[in-house]
Amino acid sequence: MDNLIDGKAVAATVRGEVAERPRRLHDETGIRAGLAVIIVGEDPASQVYVANKHRACEEAGMHSLQVEMPAETTQAELEAKIDEVAADPAIHGMIVQMPLP
């Protein structure tokens, strides 16, 4: 009655399926999907999370940009950086990593 799920196998299957989308986009349009992550400060858990996002992008054939800003960054400086990254034609999605200092 118990059903065991092999989480690693399921994750590998899903990652393979997800990676097909940016490959197809590139093949059909020449566009390489890009994800930017803006991280403010040096929260250790956030650093690990962002590194994992970068690795996942590489595995999916996507462009990955990591923008690191010091903990002293003001809201205005962060907003300006968000606008700057959003204007980059190589970036199609963005994460502002939480928590913010």
Side-chain angles (χ1 to χ4, degrees):
M1 201 162 216
D2 290 338
N3 291 327
L4 294 178
I5 297 173
D6 183 345
K8 288 184 180 182
V10 171
T13 299
V14 170
R15 282 193 179 106
E17 292 170 359
V18 169
E20 182 57 32
R21 293 176 186 162
R23 278 191 215 109
R24 191 173 340 120
L25 176 68
H26 185 264
D27 291 347
E28 293 173 2
T29 67
I31 296 171
R32 183 174 178 214
L35 175 70
V37 179
I38 299 175
I39 185 166
V40 182
E42 298 182 14
D43 180 73
S46 292
Q47 295 288 338
V48 170
Y49 182 83
V50 169
N52 288 338
K53 292 297 137 212
H54 176 72
R55 184 172 40 257
C57 284
E58 285 183 341
E59 290 172 2
M62 295 174 57
H63 169 63
S64 174
L65 173 66
Q66 181 174 330
V67 178
E68 297 182 10
M69 301 183 78
E72 300 77 26
T73 299
T74 66
Q75 181 173 337
E77 291 168 333
L78 177 57
E79 289 173 356
K81 183 57 74 174
I82 291 169
D83 289 342
E84 177 186 324
V85 172
D88 183 341
I91 299 302
H92 303 94
M94 183 185 325
I95 297 170
V96 176
Q97 180 62 39
M98 300 298 211
L100 294 171

